[in-house]
Amino acid sequence: MYVRVCYRVPNMADTTSTVIDTEISYFNNISANWWTDLKALENQNKLRVPYIIKSLVETGKISREKAKNDKPLAGINILDVGCGGGFLSEERKDIQQNVKYIHGTVEKFCEQQKEQFDHVVAAEILDHIQARDLFVKSCVKTLKPGGTYFVSTINRTLRAWLQMILYHEYITGVIPKGTHHWHLFVTPDETRSWLENANCAILTCKGWCQIADGDWKVCDNTTIAYYMIAMKKYEH
């Protein structure tokens, strides 16, 4: 089963909320054009998915043999938090028929769904919310012990601002203006700290690097953007 949590606006007076109302309003306004204006997110699936599958193999959720077939994620319970246009789930044939849509916040969702999922995906969402420590803890609550957590986001560096905001939003227009805000970008150390405080062990951290043709590749440089995979520890 594949569950997607799509954010909608709660009361911003609630300090326990991870949601920023202006971010929700912005993405609601461009939601009709998810698959055109933000197609770059879809293109990153060819990088994300192999590492998601690899983490599931390394933690024993799927076998190496299953990882090689055409539906490696079939039968795996996955939570995609802040799924946007569903860039990951909509193109995965091994999960399309078992997708469940939920509108709400993960901090409320996790109270009814503790330890229900094998894997959590939080792709390009940390840099659009507040109370990131609460967000991470809530996501981890939904994981079974031994489950894995995939997070990808943008680093808070000058180079990231130059490339992701100045260049992509204001010069080339590849990304709609106003999509990103530098003060919401997240460093790898911050992400690592939140995950470790939520009882997770970090398995890997790699960078996203853009190559000459506008595509992306995995690299060791996390200056602009990165992904991190962690595993929820077993209780002793």
Side-chain angles (χ1 to χ4, degrees):
M1 179 179 67
Y2 190 99
V3 176
R4 308 190 319 177
V5 176
C6 308
Y7 271 40
R8 291 295 181 267
V9 184
N11 183 357
M12 281 301 292
D14 181 3
T15 58
T16 63
S17 172
T18 60
V19 179
I20 301 174
D21 58 350
T22 53
E23 289 291 285
I24 297 297
S25 297
Y26 172 80
F27 285 104
N28 280 344
N29 288 336
I30 67 169
S31 61
N33 300 315
W34 275 117
W35 293 89
T36 53
D37 293 350
L38 295 174
K39 192 173 180 61
L41 294 177
E42 178 191 3
N43 293 336
Q44 289 185 357
N45 280 341
K46 62 183 178 182
L47 298 178
R48 292 192 192 103
V49 174
Y51 284 90
I52 290 173
I53 294 171
K54 181 181 178 182
S55 71
L56 292 169
V57 171
E58 291 177 347
T59 54
K61 298 297 182 183
I62 61 175
S63 66
R64 295 187 183 279
E65 290 71 24
K66 184 177 180 181
K68 296 176 183 177
N69 68 35
D70 60 345
K71 294 184 178 181
L73 298 179
I76 300 296
N77 286 340
I78 300 175
L79 175 65
D80 186 1
V81 187
C83 63
F87 301 106
L88 180 60
S89 60
E90 291 299 326
E91 72 168 27
R92 292 298 304 182
K93 294 180 179 179
D94 44 359
I95 56 178
Q96 280 179 351
Q97 294 181 356
N98 294 294
V99 175
K100 184 177 182 181
Y101 302 88
I102 295 174
H103 295 278
T105 62
V106 70
E107 56 267 29
K108 292 182 179 179
F109 177 78
C110 72
E111 296 305 321
Q112 287 78 42
Q113 298 291 331
K114 292 182 180 179
E115 299 188 352
Q116 296 298 307
F117 294 92
D118 301 301
H119 187 82
V120 170
V121 177
E124 325 312 324
I125 178 67
L126 276 184
D127 50 298
H128 297 289
I129 59 172
Q130 62 184 2
R132 270 77 72 92
D133 56 341
L134 171 63
F135 176 88
V136 171
K137 286 180 181 178
S138 299
C139 289
V140 173
K141 281 184 180 179
T142 70
L143 272 178
K144 301 173 184 177
T148 47
Y149 185 110
F150 176 96
V151 56
S152 58
T153 191
I154 303 173
N155 200 350
R156 194 171 61 253
T157 63
L158 175 59
R159 187 176 173 186
W161 179 84
L162 289 171
Q163 180 163 330
M164 302 305 297
I165 297 178
L166 180 63
Y167 182 70
H168 285 311
E169 294 188 21
Y170 288 87
I171 296 178
T172 67
V174 172
I175 299 174
K177 290 180 181 178
T179 297
H180 296 113
H181 307 282
W182 186 84
H183 71 282
L184 291 176
F185 291 172
V186 185
T187 69
D189 285 343
E190 289 169 334
T191 302
R192 182 183 301 271
S193 176
W194 295 325
L195 284 166
E196 289 177 343
N197 289 339
N199 194 38
C200 287
I202 308 302
L203 300 180
T204 188
C205 180
K206 291 285 187 178
W208 298 130
C209 295
Q210 194 164 23
I211 53 182
D213 62 0
D215 208 346
W216 292 79
K217 68 175 182 178
V218 175
C219 62
D220 292 324
N221 189 338
T222 61
T223 304
I224 296 175
Y226 61 95
Y227 79 87
M228 193 174 293
I229 296 177
M231 182 188 75
K232 183 176 182 177
K233 297 178 181 179
Y234 290 90
E235 299 290 345
H236 296 291

